[in-house]
Amino acid sequence: MEERKHLIELWDICKVYKMGDSEVRANDGISFTIDDGEMVAIVGKSGSGKSTIMNIIGALDVPTSGCYCLNGIDVSKMNDNQLAEIRNKQIGFIFQQYNLLPKMNLLGNVELPLLYAGIGENKRSELAMKSLKRVGLGDKWKNRPNQLSGGQQQRVSIARALAGNPSLILADEPTGALDSRTSKEVLDFLKELNEEGNTIVIITHDNSIALEAKRVIKIHDGKVSFDGHVEEYRKLVV
Amino acid sequence: MKISQAVKMAFSSLAGNKMRSFLTMLGMIIGVSAVIAMMSIMDGMIGYTMDSFGGMGASQITVNLTSQTDTRQLSDDEVYKFLEENPDYFVEVSPCVTMMQSLRNEHESLDNKSVSGVSEAYAAMEEDEIGEGRFLSYLDVEKRNKVCVIGTYIADQLYNDVGVLGSNLKIGSDTYKIVGIMEEQEDSEENSADDCVYIPYTTAARASGNARISTYYFQMKSTDASDASQDVLENFLYSVFHDSDMYTVINMASLLDMMDDMVGMMENILVGIAAISLLVAGIGIMNIMLVSVSERTREIGIRKSLGAKKRDIRYQFAIEAATVSTLGGIIGILLGGLLTTVLGNLVGIDCSPSMSAIGISFGVSAGIGLLFGFLPANKAANLNPIDALRNE
Ligand SMILES: Nc1ncnc2c1ncn2[C@@H]1O[C@H](COP(=O)(O)OP(=O)(O)OP(=O)(O)O)[C@@H](O)[C@H]1O
Ligand SMILES: [Mg+2]
């Protein structure tokens, strides 16, 4: 039987922060794999090491030890420029605070990853426009981010994440700044994207949001304490 | 990323913070406009001075015998003899006796006019052309004829330009016949080159009651040998007077050389001042760019998270600095041009913005932007994306 290729492979990831004499093991031997097309929630209490593992998965940082392969390529020993390339081509970030550039219009914001991918002006705005339309904000492309509601801004950041057609969409507390109704909208939208075949990883401390995913990985004190189907997780928490 | 894209980005970023962009540019604007105005006005002034010096004849040496005594004196015959003995250095000489006299004819009179007693060689030495009639002749000098040649201003004032030649002109108490009119040089204005009366120096010496001639204009054979010619002349004078305080020798060529040196020095000083002011402007730009990098840490983090490489960020900030700087440079050039015209008019000197100053300012301002933008740009490029994103 041929083994299926994983999108994400984490082998014994450790991240150690040194603070003077003491050291914090933010990630302490994390291993799991995520396949193409999955929708995974990574949950854990504050300080458990979620952001740390997200930074590593998102190629914003490299582990102190362990191995991280994305699409079969070892990312854990890459230099800054190679990491930037990975972020640009493979990963679409969705942040809690949207992280849009306030002085650019929506189109300009969505174009950014394409700009750094070296795509020409015409093609860039075409792709960005398509992406903006995909999140239902095509007619507002001229607006500035601050002229939009929080939910709309988060949709723009989703459009930006989608624009470069990445292999992985990485959402860090995507609903953290939204009320429950808009949160649901955003989550439903992410689910929809997943249905279309996008791989989605959501980092959250909120169990109710984790329960919207198909698979849940729980981090506790920098280690994986649960990894399984969402229904099994539901039984644990309810 | 293409440069056009980067410049576009720089412009929108600058437009997003107009007040600050303007203040950043201000140093550049003031620096460049001051440099251009200074250099252009300087150029204008040099041109003006050179023109007026050039009019005096660069190949002339003027000798003033400040004091002559019975035992130590120099006659015009001895001077002419000296001229004949030194054909390698001097081609002409004209004694000069200047007096202030009133000019009168039947109708009009002019008071306190300068009347120059010169030799027949004078007009040629000064490269002054005769308009009508003739200039003084050797015979006029020899015979102490009472003839005169006048400038167009005098002809205009006393005769309204009609029937001038052959008329009589009363200079002081003597009557002179007008034999020539000089060609107009400066619109026949008062106190210009056209405001002149020439008579034979021999006649003038007698009329002034002072037989000793104290001023001689020598025409050198070549300005290249001006120092040697001056030496020869000074040796001759010393052999006569045995005291260098009794005469002065003014050499136009060496004066011009000195002027050139001084102008060169002034220009160097200006370049120094320009360099310092542009340096200060560059430091101002660096300072504000550093602040801007700190303020835009989050933006940098976002861009990096989306795949911007170090060199993309470095490029963005360097181009931004160069753009502010160049823009400031351009505004400075325009302002400098305006300032030059206004100040030039005020001083009454013909000034036009110096092209070299404009070229240099433009290049230097762009270069300074890049140079002083480099440190802030590097700082931005080296930010860690995680820390930058966490920045509020
Ligand atoms: N740059 C750093 N330097 C030192 N310690 C750090 C650093 N980043 C994280 N830590 C520590 O590592 C541990 C895990 O942090 P992490 O940010 O991954 O937690 P988290 O699960 O994201 O928490 P939260 O839900 O509050 O965001 C914490 O104890 C934290 O103090
Ligand atoms: Mg966190």
Side-chain angles (χ1 to χ4, degrees):
Chain A
M1 204 174 87
E2 198 191 328
E3 199 185 333
R4 194 175 154 204
K5 229 177 106 201
H6 305 293
L7 176 65
I8 291 171
E9 294 170 74
L10 295 171
W11 303 107
D12 204 21
I13 296 288
C14 292
K15 183 74 189 180
V16 183
Y17 292 111
K18 286 210 167 60
M19 318 250 296
D21 289 342
S22 69
E23 55 179 38
V24 181
R25 303 184 72 83
N27 286 169
D28 193 7
I30 291 182
S31 303
F32 58 77
T33 62
I34 294 174
D35 291 335
D36 231 348
E38 279 199 83
M39 179 154 178
V40 182
I42 297 177
V43 284
K45 290 193 305 242
S46 180
S48 58
K50 302 183 301 290
S51 291
T52 307
I53 196 69
M54 186 206 84
N55 288 340
I56 291 169
I57 295 175
L60 285 163
D61 203 359
V62 289
T64 314
S65 69
C67 188
Y68 165 38
C69 289
L70 180 64
N71 261 331
I73 301 161
D74 189 356
V75 175
S76 45
K77 301 197 173 48
M78 283 186 170
N79 67 25
D80 286 352
N81 275 345
Q82 292 167 317
L83 289 174
E85 187 86 22
I86 293 289
R87 291 197 292 274
N88 186 242
K89 299 275 161 53
Q90 311 264 21
I91 293 160
F93 284 100
I94 298 167
F95 298 100
Q96 180 173 1
Q97 298 90 354
Y98 330 127
N99 278 352
L100 301 172
L101 295 186
K103 286 182 179 162
M104 276 190 179
N105 64 25
L106 302 191
L107 190 69
N109 267 286
V110 177
E111 276 184 4
L112 274 178
L114 305 171
L115 174 78
Y116 291 119
I119 293 171
E121 205 167 336
N122 292 335
K123 181 85 181 154
R124 207 159 66 212
S125 52
E126 184 195 318
L127 285 173
M129 202 61 207
K130 209 174 99 185
S131 204
L132 261 183
K133 281 186 182 141
R134 176 74 191 75
V135 300
L137 290 168
D139 53 335
K140 287 204 190 317
W141 67 271
K142 264 187 177 165
N143 287 41
R144 295 288 175 89
N146 60 10
Q147 296 166 320
L148 268 58
S149 73
Q152 284 172 323
Q153 288 191 56
Q154 193 57 300
R155 265 152 61 198
V156 176
S157 91
I158 293 173
R160 184 178 64 188
L162 287 174
N165 194 22
S167 349
L168 171 68
I169 288 175
L170 200 51
D172 184 15
E173 305 274 8
T175 59
L178 302 174
D179 60 37
S180 57
R181 196 175 57 84
T182 15
S183 287
K184 189 161 165 17
E185 264 174 39
V186 166
L187 280 173
D188 286 345
F189 193 76
L190 289 175
K191 277 194 218 169
E192 212 179 300
L193 291 175
N194 178 243
E195 297 296 314
E196 290 169 11
N198 290 296
T199 314
I200 293 174
V201 173
I202 299 171
I203 285 91
T204 180
H205 67 277
D206 187 344
N207 277 330
S208 68
I209 288 172
L211 289 173
E212 301 283 330
K214 290 180 192 161
R215 174 183 162 194
V216 177
I217 298 172
K218 188 174 163 88
I219 310 277
H220 183 74
D221 277 352
K223 294 187 176 69
V224 176
S225 64
F226 173 91
D227 183 355
H229 196 273
V230 67
E231 292 312 323
E232 288 173 51
Y233 188 66
R234 195 186 304 278
K235 281 177 214 157
L236 275 179
V237 290
V238 184
Chain B
M1 207 182 338
K2 279 188 293 215
I3 185 145
S4 59
Q5 180 66 41
V7 171
K8 225 191 227 173
M9 231 155 89
F11 266 105
S12 64
S13 159
L14 296 178
N17 208 334
K18 293 195 185 66
M19 188 62 187
R20 162 175 303 177
S21 306
F22 174 72
L23 288 176
T24 314
M25 278 184 246
L26 202 58
M28 210 38 134
I29 293 175
I30 293 175
V32 166
S33 58
V35 167
I36 288 190
M38 281 195 308
M39 284 180 110
S40 310
I41 288 175
M42 184 73 184
D43 272 6
M45 262 162 51
I46 291 164
Y48 176 80
T49 321
M50 285 300 183
D51 275 357
S52 48
F53 269 85
M56 296 185 189
S59 59
Q60 267 186 25
I61 296 185
T62 305
V63 172
N64 278 309
L65 307 174
T66 43
S67 57
Q68 300 188 63
T69 64
D70 287 343
T71 49
R72 286 186 272 180
Q73 55 170 305
L74 193 60
S75 71
D76 49 338
D77 289 341
E78 285 166 310
V79 171
Y80 276 107
K81 193 162 155 258
F82 166 77
L83 179 74
E84 270 164 42
E85 285 166 357
N86 291 282
D88 292 343
Y89 296 109
F90 298 102
V91 288
E92 280 294 0
V93 71
S94 172
C96 184
V97 178
T98 316
M99 34 185 200
M100 302 306 283
Q101 295 284 22
S102 63
L103 308 177
R104 228 159 359 105
N105 63 6
E106 306 84 71
H107 319 288
E108 301 280 342
S109 75
L110 291 168
D111 278 336
N112 249 344
K113 285 288 151 194
S114 158
V115 174
S116 306
V118 296
S119 80
E120 72 283 357
Y122 183 82
M125 282 170 68
E126 290 286 316
E127 293 174 357
D128 288 343
E129 302 285 334
I130 201 85
E132 283 175 63
R134 60 173 181 86
F135 195 66
L136 305 172
S137 70
Y138 175 73
L139 270 181
D140 292 332
V141 175
E142 192 60 22
K143 304 261 182 235
R144 298 196 174 100
N145 286 341
K146 289 198 173 153
V147 291
C148 66
V149 176
I150 60 174
T152 47
Y153 169 75
I154 307 286
D156 204 32
Q157 293 294 310
L158 292 185
Y159 298 95
N160 252 333
D161 282 334
V162 272
V164 190
L165 283 184
S167 304
N168 287 332
L169 175 65
K170 234 179 154 185
I171 301 176
S173 52
D174 296 329
T175 306
Y176 289 70
K177 196 171 137 197
I178 300 174
V179 294
I181 305 172
M182 303 304 291
E183 190 157 271
E184 182 177 67
Q185 291 184 40
E186 291 174 25
D187 296 330
S188 304
E189 277 172 41
E190 190 170 9
N191 296 326
S192 74
D194 297 323
D195 183 358
C196 61
V197 177
Y198 298 117
I199 59 175
Y201 75 90
T202 46
T203 321
R206 177 181 283 177
S208 69
N210 188 353
R212 284 179 191 144
I213 295 159
S214 57
T215 305
Y216 291 91
Y217 297 134
F218 284 84
Q219 169 107 33
M220 282 184 277
K221 190 170 181 202
S222 148
T223 44
D224 296 339
S226 93
D227 286 346
S229 309
Q230 185 173 354
D231 284 349
V232 169
L233 186 55
E234 277 180 346
N235 286 341
F236 166 67
L237 291 171
Y238 194 80
S239 73
V240 174
F241 290 100
H242 306 291
D243 181 357
S244 57
D245 288 339
M246 292 176 75
Y247 54 86
T248 59
V249 176
I250 300 166
N251 185 341
M252 268 305 150
S254 61
L255 266 186
L256 279 180
D257 275 358
M258 235 165 72
M259 279 280 296
D260 263 357
D261 285 354
M262 254 164 65
V263 165
M265 216 168 73
M266 290 277 271
E267 271 175 350
N268 283 342
I269 291 173
L270 271 189
V271 167
I273 293 173
I276 290 170
S277 69
L278 292 177
L279 189 78
V280 171
I283 291 172
I285 287 176
M286 177 162 75
N287 185 21
I288 305 231
M289 285 306 291
L290 279 172
V291 173
S292 164
V293 168
S294 310
E295 276 183 358
R296 288 156 70 189
T297 301
R298 195 178 180 83
E299 174 191 332
I300 294 161
I302 294 171
R303 286 178 184 275
K304 284 198 155 191
S305 77
L306 299 175
K309 298 192 173 117
K310 275 186 183 181
R311 66 174 143 85
D312 293 322
I313 301 292
R314 190 182 297 129
Y315 195 56
Q316 180 190 343
F317 279 86
I319 291 285
E320 200 169 308
T323 304
V324 189
S325 174
T326 311
L327 215 61
I330 292 175
I331 297 176
I333 286 172
L334 296 179
L335 196 71
L338 193 77
L339 218 65
T340 303
T341 321
V342 170
L343 285 180
N345 278 342
L346 223 67
V347 186
I349 293 176
D350 202 17
C351 294
S352 54
S354 122
M355 272 300 148
S356 62
I358 289 177
I360 292 171
S361 309
F362 187 81
V364 166
S365 59
I368 278 186
L370 275 178
L371 188 72
F372 287 94
F374 190 77
L375 182 73
N378 234 8
K379 189 182 161 195
N382 288 330
L383 284 176
N384 172 329
I386 300 171
D387 297 337
L389 276 173
R390 204 177 288 144
N391 186 278
E392 288 307 321

